[in-house]
Amino acid sequence: MSGQDATERAERTFEALPPEQRRSSARTWWGRAWLKALEDTALDGQQVKAGRRHARAGAVGAVSVRPGRITAVVRDRDGTAYRADVVVQEFGTADWERLLELVAGQAGHIAALLDRDIPPHLAEDALAAGVELLPGIGDLEPECTCGAWDHCAHTAALCHQMALLLDQDPFVLLLMRGRGEGELLEELQARNAARGSGGGPGQGAEAPSGVPAAEAFATASFVPPLPDPPPVVESPGRPPVLSGDVAPAPGLDPAALEFLVADAAARARQLLAEALTTGHEGTPVAGELTLWEDAVRLAAAGPDERITARLAAGCGRERAELARAVRAWEYGGPASLAVLEEEWTPEGEGLARARARLAGAWEEEQAPRLRAVRNRWTAVGTSAQLRYGRDGRWWPYRKEGGRWLPAGPCDHDPAAALAALLTDDR
């Protein structure tokens, strides 16, 4: 396996955290040590404080962590987006050898890591072995598209966000140093097995009678491989028939309950099929749907009118609103629904590239006249409109009955999407 392949497999992406004004910067001692390295490295303490405010305000987007580097898009108060990177020194082969021997040699260290903990004595033992687990002064090297040569508010915000992620999972620190959790546990399991078979240090010595309790509990996590996965299910299970001659209990709607059971069976089949897909373990976990999104998803399955009316009422929406939302959902799920309902002001390079594409798609005398209002671009004198999503994709809309309605799936090329709309409009 090449080093590049290993790096790609080891990369992890963490979703953006919501704003939290009262949130502490770090709870664990290693999270605070990370922030101390930032404070010692940055030349301007005011930028560190500004970064903390940015992080608490939710200005840091999804954080990508890979060996030697962390990356995120950070937005200023005016919405301007910058790519912020922080470079961290990776461990060399000799460093990893010393660290793995140290951890594998003491069951307490393994147990602590599996419990998402870095006890101070583990860091002290590693330092004594010549391996600095935590960064120090000058070890967090900033890079930002704002052009700052030292830590700016954007890289400082990324570091503050990183401290929270380290609080939750110290394996992220080891990933930055060069190896992901799966690779580390496999290596520790192999070393533990070698020690147990007499192939490790001290080979030939008389085996001790019994095993220390700490070692027994630590190695319990190194279990045999899982059995073969279950086969793919060809079709969802059939739900039970709950309606009949007997009157249902007060407040119970058998038809709605049958519909929910059928939906649960269909979703279970879909999740199983996805789990059996090659490479599924590297696929990011989808975010949890909101109440409204889940209601739209259920309505898109086509239940009878009475159930659809209950879904709309349960969310405090009108039936017509739900119908429009279902139409959007069918073209692109949650992303398409967000474009239907959100109105925001895009900025930056993506918008500039879109303007250039639109300008170059037609001869000057043939170009449609566009009126841009925030993220919605309307071709004047037509029933065609494009909406720009936060993910950089363009969604076609058409005016029907005095309302703008989704007209198709998204396109990364705004000129192509608009041309298709205008062709259909003739």
Side-chain angles (χ1 to χ4, degrees), residues 14-20 23 55 57-62 161 164-165 168:
F14 299 86
E15 293 183 358
L17 298 178
E20 183 64 50
R23 181 176 60 203
V60 183
Q161 196 87 323
L164 299 177
L165 297 177
Q168 301 168 14

Side-chain angles (χ1 to χ4, degrees), residues 31 96 99 105 116 124 147 188 195 266 363 377 380:
W96 278 116
L99 180 60
R116 297 299 190 268
E124 294 167 1
L188 289 172
R195 289 171 181 271
E363 298 294 337
W377 296 35
V380 178

Side-chain angles (χ1 to χ4, degrees), residues 50-69:
R52 182 171 61 249
R53 291 193 295 269
H54 273 40
R56 289 179 174 175
V60 183
V63 179
S64 170
V65 183
R66 54 196 182 280
R69 182 178 293 267

Side-chain angles (χ1 to χ4, degrees), residues 108-120:
H109 290 339
I110 300 176
L113 286 175
L114 292 175
D115 201 33
R116 297 299 190 268
D117 184 25
I118 301 180

Side-chain angles (χ1 to χ4, degrees), residues 38-48 149-151:
L38 167 66
E39 294 166 357
D40 291 343
T41 300
L43 298 179
D44 187 350
Q46 294 303 314
Q47 295 293 343
V48 176
W149 59 272
D150 185 35
H151 274 288

Side-chain angles (χ1 to χ4, degrees), residues 363-382:
E363 298 294 337
E364 185 173 350
E365 63 277 3
Q366 299 176 339
R369 188 159 61 93
L370 299 175
R371 181 178 66 250
V373 179
R374 307 190 76 182
N375 66 318
R376 302 176 180 185
W377 296 35
T378 305
V380 178
T382 74

